[in-house]
Amino acid sequence: MHPYPAWSHSVGDVEAHHRTNLKNGLSEPEAAARLAEHGPNALKKPDPTSLWAMVLEQFDDTLVKILLLAAAVSFGLAFMEGGDDGELGIGAFVEPGVILLILALNAIVGVWQESNAESALEALKEMSAETAKVIRGGRLVPGLGAAGLVPGDVIEVCAGDRVPADCRVAELKTAILRVEQAALTGESVTVQKSVDGLSSAHCELQSKETMLFSGTGIASGSAVCIVNSTGMETEIGKIQEQIEEASNEDDDTPLKRNLDEFGEALAKIILAVCILVWLINIHHFLSFECIGNSWIPDTRTVVFSFGKATFYFKVAVALAVAAIPEGLPAVITTCLALGTRKMAKRNAIVRRLPSVETLGCTTVICSDKTGTLTTNQMSAVTLVVLGKSAKDIRDLAITGTSFDPDQGEVVGLSSIDGAVEQVALVCSLCNDSRLIREKGAFKAVGQPTEAALLVLAEKIGVEDGKLQAKIEASRRGSGDATGACDSYASGYAKIATLEFDRDRKSMSVLCRPASGRGLGTQRSLARRLASPGKSEEEPNNVLFVKGAAECVLERCTTAMLADGSVVPITAAMRKAMNKIIDGKAQHALRLLAMAVKSGSGELGALASYTGEHSHPGFKLISDPSKYETIESDMTFVGLAGLRDPPRPEVKSAIAGCHGAGIRVMVITGDNKTTAEAVCRDIGVFAPDQDLEDASLTGAEFLAMPDAEKTELLRTPGGLCFSRAEPRHKQEIVKVLKQIGEIVAMTGDGVNDAPALKLADIGVAMGISGTEVAKQASDMVLADDNFATVVAAVEEGRSIYDNMKAFIRYMISSNIGEVVSIFLSAALGLPEGLIPVQLLWVNLVTDGPPATALGFNKADPDIMEKPPRRSNDHFITPWILFRWLVVGVYVGFATVAVFAVWYTHDSFMGIDLSADGHTIITFDQLRNWESCESWRGFRASSFTAGSSMVSFSNPCDYFSAGKVKASTLSLSVLVAIEMFNAANALSEDNSLLKVPVWSNPWLLLAMSISFGLHFLILYVPTLATTFSIVPLSVNEWMLVLAFALPVVLIDEVLKFVGRNFVNVSSTRAARADTGKDKDV
């Protein structure tokens, strides 16, 4: 149900529709009936996700499911082994216990993150007013709970109130009603509301001049309003619905999609390899004779060994454990957490860990204008005053982009002449705003435009050098921020204010010079323009005026020159001034003209008005219809151009985006002209670019057919969308995502929250941002600066590269473990690596180096490369080939060293006979299960460290006696993985160019991993747990002989990659983004 379009109907029509009247409001019974019909004026609270549902969601992952299955099978085998032996040992449960512990920790972290993810909806409720002043049954109820409001209620609002519901302005109790609705609409200035400004029923929010919206604030004035919609029917209620919809459309991050794709492929490979291992070894536990010459088995001859079948089933389980990178989720989480710390140092506070990586593949940044690209601090950027003659028009530039008076100056102003002094007086006196210092920064209290005029007056300063120095010293010492303004204002006492209205587009103050409180050496306007017969002790009142440039200039008949003299405004002078006004308007400046009026002949009764009701001037001041007459025949003193200036660093940041292949789109609630001017200034558009197809309003975009929307958003270059509402922003983000873009969206207002939630990366402003925007976002900018977004993208790319490095390191090692188990099974060798050893390597030994790879420094040209696309595959054919080559060698080396110990007493000059172990042939090793049938076979005991490994049955040489060969396999695996970590420092650069010491953390991590391996080798209790024994020096030399070749193999692969494979792929990617079109 759509709310009644009260903004397109008169007050009488609205009263009739809601069956109410301004005098009496609703009766209590009628209000109660409507409350039952419409429900309370509150935002709906969505049903929370149950804890159990969130827990189950954490296990909806392919890798996790494989681990769960492996744990279940391991538990079953542990019980079976315990049943056979008559007791259950703790060691049998180490493997499944560790797997379940990892899964439990991951689930806890995931649930904790999700339970904090939807708090944006709660922040919306905080924006709602708690009480309201409502007229019920003809009497005012001052503190009615806002939840009790219903459509048709008559309420009163005044300055400082938060609007409790969407209301139609019915009656103004002051001349002006201004509302701060930037958080809802994105407008950079407060908005004036009226009773009669009717709009189209389907217009955008910014055009609804007669409406007040729930959650916005009254900046000035008071009014009587009729409640039009409440609760979820309000504009803020619609935003809540959009946030909920966006939450439901949350997509996985590119990294998660890549890992899921990898997990599914890995599951299929594991299943295939497990089945293959069983088929290869089926003859070990199942034998039969065929009937005749056929393939049909004779069931009478079938022999099945349950023990051997169980053994090879364990081999298959070990293979699954080896293939799964159990430590990968923990290492990824650690790397992302380290990334958040790096980003925090660059003023980007990450709220959701996966967003760190997503930033690295951002292809489009959709940025709000106000407060992100601009400072959200109105600043005067130009001052136009007359010089020595009427033809001498001085156009002075003003530097500075904030409310800090000491940041900038009026360029070319060597002295404070008569006209400039009057400009400072108008800025100081026609002003109700204040500047305050808060946490070391200057902030405006009141209208930003008026605060900018105060800053202009401070930059002009006072003529007295000693006084000016004192003012500046006080400001630097945390004293008064507006010393110059106070000095100007001290010479006058305000008597009356002629408030602004939309017809004459100006406001003024009537001031009386304060005797004895002037500016000393400065000239006094009152004396200069006083009537001839007036004494200096009793000067005339002065009218100071500011307003829209074209309107004020039209009502001026004279102008002030630099020396303070006044000359008539000629037709030529007026034409020249209007030309300047038109030229500056094209740059989206807000132009304010300033004028003065003094003398009994000009002001009439107001020249001597003191504020008393009995004075003849009171009648003039009390009648707003006379204000335009009063503000006529004035003396023009100057013209100021104001704007919300772009941040100084934004232009270079956008140039950096272009260099990185990232498109920038500006989406703002501000008007089209202002938005286009800012876009030209910051480099989104070229200065002379035709904007016919590059700049649209939100409504124009929404009205386009889907095909045209897609074509527009695919067009290279920047785009600008003005007058954008929340639904417009959502539609833009949605279409961008549909065409495969990775979208980062910045915003600060409530109106930005749905789009922030929908985007791949929602970036909220930390200083000016509403709590709703922050909690809907993935990242918060501590400095509200667009350049910080670009820095975060650079950091995200670096983090992704580092994650690729440690994933390459871990996966190639896991492939090596799979190959090792497969080769052992295929060759019929005893099991070289048992599951608990593989778990130790994957979780503990591999962990520190993988984490340390997250500290790799970013490539110098990282922001000169095009972004990766969302559909780019994590595993390319070349990457898979590299993994397989390294993995096959790892598997070969671990199996080879196992076989060498059994079959050689020396190898490559390394003596292996010192321990006294029995040498056998490779054929015997392959057929070890037939040991019982070997005649005369004997296996002697051998030493392992300070202990002796002995066995009563010679065939135990291949089970209990394999402990040293197994230790050698494990040690070769650990050593290779340490060297492999060094290889992973750079994807294509040689270790000669990027040496190990370029990342000191990796050296430390490798030392820790080797230390942990030595710990389990040389601490007897741990060695028993992992079924390993200490190694001698010669045996360590054998380990290095098999481990070091992996460095040479990877160096060859890197050479091929950097000279052949990646060169062509990089060129193709750059051509796809258009970066090499001129090459």
Side-chain angles (χ1 to χ4, degrees):
M1 180 181 175
H2 295 287
Y4 173 69
W7 55 91
S8 63
H9 295 275
S10 67
V11 174
D13 291 342
V14 176
E15 284 182 286
H17 174 81
H18 288 296
R19 303 191 306 279
T20 188
N21 65 79
L22 296 180
K23 183 178 180 181
N24 298 315
L26 299 175
S27 65
E28 288 293 351
E30 177 64 19
R34 296 191 184 189
L35 186 63
E37 178 186 354
H38 295 278
N41 177 36
L43 299 181
K44 180 180 68 177
K45 189 172 183 179
D47 296 331
T49 305
S50 69
L51 179 63
W52 181 242
M54 286 192 287
V55 170
L56 289 178
E57 189 177 341
Q58 308 311 311
F59 293 89
D60 187 19
D61 182 274
T62 306
L63 286 177
V64 170
K65 290 174 182 175
I66 297 171
L67 280 172
L68 277 174
L69 180 60
V73 173
S74 296
F75 265 118
L77 291 174
F79 275 108
M80 289 171 60
E81 289 177 355
D84 294 339
D85 300 339
E87 60 179 16
L88 291 174
I90 295 177
F93 294 99
V94 170
E95 175 194 333
V98 170
I99 294 175
L100 291 180
L101 178 62
I102 294 168
L103 297 179
L105 290 173
N106 280 341
I108 290 170
V109 172
V111 169
W112 177 79
Q113 286 181 334
E114 288 197 16
S115 63
N116 290 285
E118 301 303 319
S119 51
L121 303 180
E122 292 300 319
L124 277 172
K125 296 175 178 59
E126 295 177 7
M127 291 193 63
S128 304
E130 295 181 358
T131 60
K133 297 187 284 288
V134 60
I135 298 173
R136 289 273 177 89
R139 64 186 183 87
L140 181 66
V141 182
L144 179 75
L149 289 179
V150 296
D153 262 329
V154 178
I155 64 171
E156 292 185 4
V157 293
C158 60
D161 286 350
R162 193 176 290 279
V163 180
D166 285 5
C167 310
R168 170 64 156 86
V169 179
E171 179 184 311
L172 294 181
K173 302 184 75 174
T174 56
I176 301 296
L177 177 67
R178 301 192 74 85
V179 180
E180 172 58 62
Q181 59 183 41
L184 189 66
T185 63
E187 292 160 296
S188 56
V189 296
T190 56
V191 180
Q192 184 175 339
K193 298 294 183 177
S194 68
V195 174
D196 302 319
L198 302 184
S199 308
S200 165
H202 303 290
C203 66
E204 65 270 16
L205 292 180
Q206 294 91 332
S207 299
K208 297 176 182 179
E209 298 179 3
T210 61
M211 295 295 295
L212 304 183
F213 302 110
S214 177
T216 58
I218 306 298
S220 62
S222 59
V224 176
C225 308
I226 299 172
V227 174
N228 190 58
S229 53
T230 60
M232 295 300 292
E233 293 297 321
T234 62
E235 293 298 331
I236 202 171
K238 294 175 185 175
I239 288 176
Q240 168 158 330
E241 291 181 344
Q242 291 165 354
I243 292 176
E244 291 177 356
E245 291 174 5
S247 298
N248 294 333
E249 294 183 22
D250 270 354
D251 295 327
D252 291 335
T253 65
L255 178 65
K256 188 176 187 309
R257 290 197 293 269
N258 284 328
L259 290 178
D260 284 346
E261 180 184 271
F262 168 70
E264 291 173 6
L266 183 63
K268 295 174 183 176
I269 293 171
I270 288 173
L271 180 61
V273 175
C274 286
I275 293 173
L276 185 60
V277 167
W278 253 47
L279 291 176
I280 289 174
N281 291 283
I282 195 171
H283 65 279
H284 290 291
F285 56 85
L286 179 65
S287 62
F288 56 84
E289 295 179 4
C290 296
I291 299 174
N293 295 324
S294 69
W295 290 93
I296 301 173
D298 185 350
T299 56
R300 293 171 300 177
T301 63
V302 172
V303 178
F304 177 75
S305 173
F306 183 78
K308 291 183 178 180
T310 302
F311 170 79
Y312 284 104
F313 188 69
K314 285 180 61 181
V315 170
V317 172
L319 190 146
V321 171
I324 303 167
E326 294 90 348
L328 185 58
V331 175
I332 288 176
T333 301
T334 303
C335 183
L336 294 177
L338 291 171
T340 64
R341 293 185 60 186
K342 292 181 182 178
M343 288 186 176
K345 293 179 181 178
R346 303 180 79 165
N347 292 317
I349 301 166
V350 177
R351 298 185 67 250
R352 296 183 176 89
L353 281 183
S355 60
V356 175
E357 177 272 332
T358 309
L359 272 167
C361 55
T362 298
T363 58
V364 176
I365 298 177
C366 295
S367 179
D368 187 28
K369 177 185 72 69
T370 307
T372 308
L373 300 174
T374 64
T375 63
N376 199 23
Q377 297 183 7
M378 293 295 288
S379 297
V381 296
T382 184
L383 175 63
V384 178
V385 289
L386 295 180
K388 296 179 181 180
S389 68
K391 295 181 179 180
D392 181 15
I393 300 176
R394 295 178 293 167
D395 190 348
L396 306 174
I398 305 170
T399 59
T401 58
S402 71
F403 289 133
D404 185 351
D406 295 320
Q407 187 193 72
E409 61 178 343
V410 182
V411 180
L413 184 66
S414 56
S415 62
I416 302 174
D417 56 46
V420 173
E421 178 188 330
Q422 303 319 308
V423 169
L425 278 166
V426 174
C427 291
S428 303
L429 293 165
C430 280
N431 211 310
D432 291 322
S433 293
R434 293 183 297 117
L435 289 180
I436 61 170
R437 189 194 299 269
E438 189 175 288
K439 296 180 180 180
F442 288 94
K443 295 187 175 181
V445 178
Q447 293 281 346
T449 300
E450 292 191 341
L453 294 179
L454 292 179
V455 175
L456 173 57
E458 291 299 317
K459 289 178 179 178
I460 291 173
V462 298
E463 190 176 29
D464 187 334
K466 291 183 179 179
L467 179 58
Q468 179 64 26
K470 184 178 179 182
I471 290 170
E472 292 176 359
S474 174
R475 192 158 53 226
R476 286 193 295 270
S478 301
D480 188 2
T482 53
C485 295
D486 294 343
S487 183
Y488 281 113
S490 68
Y492 295 87
K494 287 186 184 181
I495 299 172
T497 299
L498 283 66
E499 291 183 337
F500 178 93
D501 69 47
R502 64 178 63 250
D503 294 323
R504 75 183 202 283
K505 297 183 180 179
S506 60
M507 66 82 62
S508 57
V509 290
L510 187 68
C511 299
R512 187 171 186 80
S515 179
R517 295 174 59 205
L519 295 176
T521 59
Q522 287 193 297
R523 294 169 289 275
S524 169
L525 176 69
R527 296 189 183 102
R528 205 162 44 246
L529 299 182
S531 299
K534 207 68 171 166
S535 68
E536 290 190 355
E537 285 71 24
E538 296 182 9
N540 286 316
N541 291 338
V542 182
L543 186 71
F544 295 96
V545 185
K546 76 171 190 294
E550 64 278 5
C551 297
V552 171
L553 183 62
E554 185 180 353
R555 300 200 298 273
C556 289
T557 55
T558 57
M560 182 176 291
L561 302 180
D563 60 3
S565 61
V566 174
V567 297
I569 295 180
T570 63
M573 186 192 303
R574 193 178 298 277
K575 182 177 180 181
M577 291 300 299
N578 281 326
K579 184 177 181 181
I580 290 174
I581 291 172
D582 292 340
K584 292 187 178 299
Q586 292 178 2
H587 292 87
L589 297 183
R590 186 176 185 188
L591 301 171
L592 294 179
M594 286 160 273
V596 295
K597 186 175 181 179
S598 182
S600 56
E602 290 80 4
L603 285 174
L606 292 179
S608 59
Y609 177 58
T610 59
E612 297 177 357
H613 289 195
S614 58
H615 193 281
F618 178 74
K619 188 175 181 180
L620 291 172
I621 290 293
S622 303
D623 185 0
S625 65
K626 303 290 186 184
Y627 288 179
E628 186 168 352
T629 303
I630 296 171
E631 294 176 355
S632 59
D633 298 324
M634 300 180 294
T635 299
F636 172 83
V637 295
L639 171 71
L642 296 91
R643 70 183 303 188
D644 180 8
R647 292 177 179 270
E649 62 279 0
V650 164
K651 189 168 186 176
S652 60
I654 287 179
C657 285
H658 294 161
I662 300 171
R663 298 167 62 204
V664 179
M665 299 181 186
V666 177
I667 309 176
T668 177
D670 221 334
N671 67 72
K672 193 172 185 178
T673 304
T674 301
E676 290 176 353
V678 170
C679 287
R680 289 188 190 276
D681 285 349
I682 62 179
V684 174
F685 297 143
D688 57 349
Q689 182 178 340
D690 182 7
L691 303 183
E692 183 178 353
D693 296 323
S695 177
L696 299 85
T697 65
E700 289 170 346
F701 176 79
L702 202 63
M704 294 172 68
D706 290 344
E708 291 185 19
K709 290 178 185 175
T710 301
E711 183 180 356
L712 175 69
L713 295 181
R714 285 187 187 275
T715 305
L719 294 172
C720 176
F721 300 93
S722 51
R723 290 295 187 188
E725 296 182 20
R727 58 199 175 101
H728 302 148
K729 296 181 180 184
Q730 277 185 282
E731 181 66 14
I732 293 167
V733 172
K734 188 180 297 184
V735 175
L736 283 169
K737 292 179 69 176
Q738 286 173 353
I739 61 178
E741 304 286 359
I742 300 297
V743 185
M745 172 78 192
T746 73
D748 57 359
V750 178
N751 61 325
D752 297 319
L756 290 174
K757 196 74 176 172
L758 183 62
D760 295 290
I761 288 289
V763 183
M765 304 298 109
I767 300 173
S768 62
T770 60
E771 202 61 30
V772 181
K774 293 176 189 176
Q775 295 187 11
S777 68
D778 301 290
M779 187 174 79
V780 178
L781 302 185
D783 57 359
D784 287 14
N785 197 332
F786 179 84
T788 303
V789 181
V790 182
V793 169
E794 179 181 351
E795 196 65 50
R797 289 188 174 189
S798 173
I799 290 167
Y800 180 77
D801 285 349
N802 291 344
M803 282 198 294
K804 279 177 63 180
F806 68 66
I807 290 173
R808 182 173 70 249
Y809 156 65
M810 296 186 79
I811 298 301
S812 60
S813 299
N814 280 82
I815 290 176
E817 294 166 11
V818 172
V819 172
S820 175
I821 295 171
F822 180 78
L823 278 178
S824 295
L827 295 173
L829 304 181
E831 185 183 22
L833 296 168
I834 61 176
V836 70
Q837 293 172 348
L838 295 175
L839 274 175
W840 172 261
V841 172
N842 290 348
L843 295 175
V844 182
T845 312
D846 283 357
T851 304
L853 289 170
F855 289 94
N856 286 349
K857 294 179 180 179
D859 292 338
D861 61 346
I862 196 166
M863 287 300 282
E864 296 175 10
K865 301 175 182 177
R868 70 186 193 278
R869 308 294 298 181
S870 61
N871 56 357
D872 283 353
H873 294 290
F874 184 73
I875 306 173
T876 64
W878 171 243
I879 289 176
L880 181 61
F881 177 76
R882 286 185 61 171
W883 287 358
L884 289 173
V885 170
V886 174
V888 166
Y889 178 75
V890 173
F892 164 78
T894 54
V895 173
V897 76
F898 184 92
V900 163
W901 184 81
Y902 271 106
T903 59
H904 292 71
D905 56 6
S906 67
F907 184 78
M908 296 179 65
I910 302 170
D911 183 17
L912 303 175
S913 63
D915 60 359
H917 73 282
T918 302
I919 305 301
I920 62 173
T921 66
F922 185 66
D923 185 62
Q924 285 179 306
L925 184 62
R926 290 193 62 190
N927 294 280
W928 65 276
E929 289 180 318
S930 304
C931 173
E932 297 289 350
S933 62
W934 297 347
R935 292 181 182 180
F937 175 70
R938 292 183 181 181
S940 59
S941 302
F942 58 88
T943 57
S946 59
S947 61
M948 180 73 68
V949 178
S950 58
F951 24 81
S952 57
N953 185 347
C955 292
D956 288 343
Y957 187 45
F958 301 104
S959 53
K962 70 175 182 179
V963 61
K964 182 169 285 190
S966 181
T967 303
L968 287 168
S969 288
L970 179 63
S971 298
V972 165
L973 180 62
V974 170
I976 285 181
E977 295 193 1
M978 294 306 101
F979 296 138
N980 216 10
N983 290 334
L985 276 169
S986 176
E987 184 171 357
D988 288 326
N989 288 317
S990 168
L991 279 173
L992 298 175
K993 186 174 183 180
V994 184
V996 179
W997 50 86
S998 64
N999 184 345
W1001 292 104
L1002 182 59
L1003 285 174
L1004 177 63
M1006 291 169 67
S1007 302
I1008 292 172
S1009 291
F1010 269 126
L1012 290 170
H1013 185 61
F1014 292 151
L1015 186 70
I1016 66 170
L1017 275 179
Y1018 297 103
V1019 174
T1021 304
L1022 294 175
T1024 302
T1025 302
F1026 288 94
S1027 302
I1028 54 179
V1029 293
L1031 298 178
S1032 67
V1033 173
N1034 279 9
E1035 288 161 350
W1036 272 112
M1037 291 175 64
L1038 180 67
V1039 168
L1040 292 177
F1042 277 98
L1044 280 170
V1046 76
V1047 175
L1048 179 62
I1049 291 171
D1050 207 61
E1051 285 293 307
V1052 173
L1053 292 171
K1054 286 180 178 180
F1055 177 83
V1056 174
R1058 67 175 174 266
N1059 289 289
F1060 302 101
V1061 180
N1062 291 337
V1063 171
S1064 58
S1065 61
T1066 300
R1067 284 175 180 168
R1070 293 176 69 88
D1072 185 54
T1073 58
K1075 288 188 66 178
D1076 282 350
K1077 61 186 178 182
D1078 296 324
V1079 178

